[in-house]
Amino acid sequence: MVSSVYIHIPFCQQICYYCDFNKFMMDRQPVDQYLDYLEKEIVESIKRTPITNLKTVFVGGGTPTALDLEQTQKLIDMINRHIIKGQAGVEMTFESNPNEISKEKLQILKDGGVNRISFGAQTFDEGLLKKIGRTHSPNEIEEAIQTAKEVGIDNINLDLMYALPGQTMEQFVDSLDKAMELPIQHISAYSLIIEPKTVFYIEMNRGKLKPAPEEDEAAMYDFLMKYLNEKGFHQYEISNFEKNGLESKHNLVYWNNDEYFGFGAGAHGYVNGVRYSNAGPLKKYFQLIDEKGVPFIHEHTVTKQEKMEEEMFLGLRKMKGVSEVEFSTKYGATFNEIFPNVIEKLSKDGLVEYKDDYLRLTHKGKLLGNEVFQEFLL
């Protein structure tokens, strides 16, 4: 059953130095043609597998709000016509850069059903913003949030990063302090990971960039968890914190290992037990849609063993953890039957614990999450 949709808009006004998502500089790109082909992909995909009980739509990138007003309206109309179809209660999220959103554009989003917006703040330090390739100022973060509130979008997420090149604990604490002054209900906070094919990766290989020491990264993450808890934000996933019960329903789809459509160039999806990825280059994306109706370049039928592994390493990202009863009902076996000695070893190392029926990470386990997850890859 597919009840969630991700839509990828691969255009940006500026390429951030750490970003490895499929993206293109906006200038001289066939944006309108892309939206036409995106619509073709959506129509053909839903014809093959109808959406059932739609719960979430997430529009990411790239930078979705890099589209102009007319293109934004075209995208919103497309989503409502083919995907939402008047259904109530759908969580609809748009990603945005703080300096690329106007009141007019936010009004189009609000009128079109967007009820959640995610601003890529990353840091409130002006020097660090420039160092990572961001073009907004700290003041523009606050202005964007206030404007979203003015048009009636109250469910607001702020993306923050830590362990940035040269970032001090004082700078990170200052960013958190400034974030707490704003009317937000959700924070996603991630440490910098230097990925191949990024500006930072090239600079690192040339010896011009030095990643933050692991101990600094761990100290910032440890502080983050304690700080946000004191400020009334509930940590429900390794990197995500909410208050007033406003968890990201869409991201929970991934962590619950549920199926979802992925539309757009470079998008990934999981439908009918098959994980797939779309062509990233626009010409290839257009060509495949013309030829096959869908732009898949890779499809993989997930085996039962892989599903069980994913259930564990995705589910353990959630602070609630993974229910052994639900796991046994779904797969006909207990944790220990599928992963002999793994739970015992991780428990002995103080990385996981049982609470009622759920296996979950300990505090130490949160700090060493990747080591825990690897244990479930057989």
Side-chain angles (χ1 to χ4, degrees), residues 6 8-31 34 60-68 71 95-97 99-100 105 122 132-135 265 282:
Y6 172 79
H8 192 72
I9 305 298
F11 305 112
C12 297
Q13 300 287 358
Q14 165 73 16
I15 303 298
C16 301
Y17 301 157
Y18 53 83
C19 179
D20 72 329
F21 294 117
N22 190 49
K23 75 278 181 189
F24 310 97
M25 288 292 287
M26 188 80 168
D27 189 38
R28 294 191 295 276
Q29 292 293 340
V31 179
Y34 178 79
T63 313
T65 49
L67 303 180
D68 64 27
Q71 292 161 345
E95 288 185 334
S96 175
N97 285 339
N99 60 328
E100 291 178 8
K105 196 173 290 185
Q122 315 314 354
I132 63 177
R134 303 293 287 178
T135 57
L282 297 186

Side-chain angles (χ1 to χ4, degrees), residues 85-225:
K85 298 180 180 178
Q87 295 177 76
V90 177
E91 178 193 83
M92 187 174 176
T93 305
F94 252 68
E95 288 185 334
S96 175
N97 285 339
N99 60 328
E100 291 178 8
I101 195 75
S102 63
K103 189 170 185 178
E104 292 80 5
K105 196 173 290 185
L106 279 165
Q107 193 66 59
I108 289 172
L109 299 182
K110 176 66 168 63
D111 292 344
V114 174
N115 48 27
R116 185 175 185 272
I117 195 155
S118 179
F119 287 114
Q122 315 314 354
T123 175
F124 284 79
D125 185 278
E126 192 124 28
L128 284 174
L129 284 169
K130 291 176 181 176
K131 188 178 284 190
I132 63 177
R134 303 293 287 178
T135 57
H136 66 266
S137 68
N139 286 341
E140 285 172 321
I141 302 170
E142 181 176 356
E143 291 166 4
I145 291 172
Q146 296 296 349
T147 306
K149 295 279 290 183
E150 284 175 24
V151 303
I153 302 177
D154 297 319
N155 191 351
I156 299 172
N157 171 64
L158 212 58
D159 281 346
L160 293 176
M161 298 181 74
Y162 57 95
L164 296 170
Q167 184 181 32
T168 65
M169 179 64 87
E170 290 72 24
Q171 287 172 316
F172 182 50
V173 173
D174 182 66
S175 285
L176 288 172
D177 286 341
K178 287 183 166 62
M180 290 300 99
E181 296 171 2
L182 301 173
I184 58 174
Q185 292 72 42
H186 195 283
I187 284 184
S188 297
Y190 302 94
S191 65
L192 173 67
I193 298 175
I194 300 177
E195 303 282 6
K197 300 180 182 178
T198 62
V199 172
F200 275 170
Y201 186 79
I202 294 168
E203 290 186 352
M204 183 179 69
N205 285 340
R206 291 175 177 171
K208 294 182 178 180
L209 178 74
K210 187 177 179 182
E214 286 185 9
E215 56 268 28
D216 288 0
E217 177 184 344
M220 288 182 183
Y221 180 54
D222 198 29
F223 178 84
L224 169 78
M225 291 188 286

Side-chain angles (χ1 to χ4, degrees), residues 37 48 277-298:
Y37 273 85
R48 298 182 182 196
S277 54
N278 287 350
L282 297 186
K283 285 185 178 178
K284 186 68 173 176
Y285 175 75
F286 298 157
Q287 177 192 343
L288 288 174
I289 291 176
D290 281 336
E291 292 175 355
K292 304 192 301 181
V294 290
F296 301 163
I297 55 169
H298 180 72

